[in-house]
Amino acid sequence: MAYTSLLTEVYRLQSLDCTDKAVQLVSREIQSQPGCSELWYMRALCLLKLEKYKEAAHDAAKALELGANFDANLVYGKALFFLGKFLEAKKAFAEGKEKAGPELSTFNQFDQWIDWSEDRIKRIARKEAKTTCKEMNGHSDEKTEKTEESNPPAANVMPAPKIKHDWYQTETHVVITILIKNQKAEDVKVNFTEKTVSVTAPLPSGSEYSLELDVCHRINPELSSFKVVPSKIEVKMKKVDGIHWAALEGDGTEPTVKSAPGEPTKTQSVPAYPSSASRKHDWNKLEADIKAEEENEKLEGDAALNQLFQKIYGQGSDETKRAMNKSFMESGGTVLSTNWKEVATDKVDVKPPDGMEYKKWN
């Protein structure tokens, strides 16, 4: 199978939550092309998704041995990290960062993973130091010991970004807001694909913030954008299908497309924007209330007259509308008739108000 076709099929199987079948497919290709680094990398990526970290580390190491690029370092480092081998993971990330160079390494979040690895190394060192101190002194601070035990540096738990992000949606877009202040637009990197969005930005501490999401439904990368303001980063993703998203990240369910613009399908609830707000609003009810308020509003003078004419025109028959249009246009706006029989045959004359004279502009 051609590499491009294989890659497409692997992505399809992963989207259907059939990553194990993707592994089998790539394994067959490896048997016929054992020297292809891309195949070993592809299988490592699938195994990482299946949380088979030992096998993923093996395949990523093989890919690197065959000359794979820095992407394999990232997979190798992640597999080692989740196996609790933080020193080896840090080394893999550092080598990948050096391969990628300053621009690409930022996009691939090497700095963030190096920071996380260093954090785990320090936590383990602190714990070992306390254990050594306890053995030497024959006692320990019971409160400190319990705190450490209640917060173990679990190797298989993904570290959460410290920066908060939120999201909401409109009928056409999904917007993510990331609460990082005082960023420069040129320092923020955002990458879109049909099913993913990646955001990286430098933090005041010198480390890198990164956010990687597998989004719930497809987006249009070309029509998606982002902007940086003093208080936040705003990422605006263009929906491919005009549907309401039940969640920001993918859940494996197929999208439900609207049957007509503005009308929800049977399986789709009416959206309440913004989706992340704690207080929900019935926007259809609000729209109806505004219309009722406009209709009941008491206007005066020309505004009341215009409202009356609009109501007559809007509720009138086709003949009424034709009469109003013909009389108004032919009379230069001085006559407005609703009787089609009176104005149908002859031209409507200009009838200026008393004391005024009608003149044509040259």
Side-chain angles (χ1 to χ4, degrees), residues 260-314:
E263 295 181 2
T265 59
K266 292 180 180 179
T267 59
Q268 178 187 351
S269 60
V270 178
Y273 308 117
S275 303
S276 58
S278 59
R279 182 181 177 184
K280 304 298 182 183
H281 298 284
D282 185 344
W283 295 103
N284 289 336
K285 183 177 182 301
L286 286 175
E287 183 181 6
D289 291 343
I290 291 171
K291 286 182 179 179
E293 185 177 334
E294 289 175 348
E295 289 177 359
N296 296 329
E297 186 179 4
K298 293 182 179 181
L299 302 176
E300 297 179 355
D302 291 340
L305 191 60
N306 287 333
Q307 186 186 56
L308 175 62
F309 289 152
Q310 288 172 7
K311 189 172 183 180
I312 293 172
Y313 187 86

Side-chain angles (χ1 to χ4, degrees), residues 125-199:
R126 286 197 298 268
K127 187 174 181 180
E128 289 177 349
K130 288 179 181 178
T131 301
T132 302
C133 183
K134 176 183 174 182
E135 291 174 351
M136 291 178 64
N137 297 329
H139 62 84
S140 65
D141 186 333
E142 186 177 348
K143 183 178 180 180
T144 302
E145 184 179 353
K146 287 183 177 180
T147 302
E148 192 68 33
E149 288 176 356
S150 64
N151 297 285
N156 60 345
V157 177
M158 175 70 175
K162 297 176 182 178
I163 306 299
K164 292 183 179 180
H165 68 273
D166 206 345
W167 71 287
Y168 67 92
Q169 63 182 302
T170 67
E171 248 186 74
T172 57
H173 290 82
V174 172
V175 182
I176 303 172
T177 55
I178 303 169
L179 303 179
I180 305 179
K181 295 182 179 180
N182 303 320
Q183 288 290 311
K184 294 180 180 179
E186 59 268 23
D187 293 337
V188 178
K189 309 294 181 184
V190 181
N191 182 67
F192 301 99
T193 69
E194 277 200 348
K195 287 286 290 180
T196 65
V197 59
S198 299
V199 184

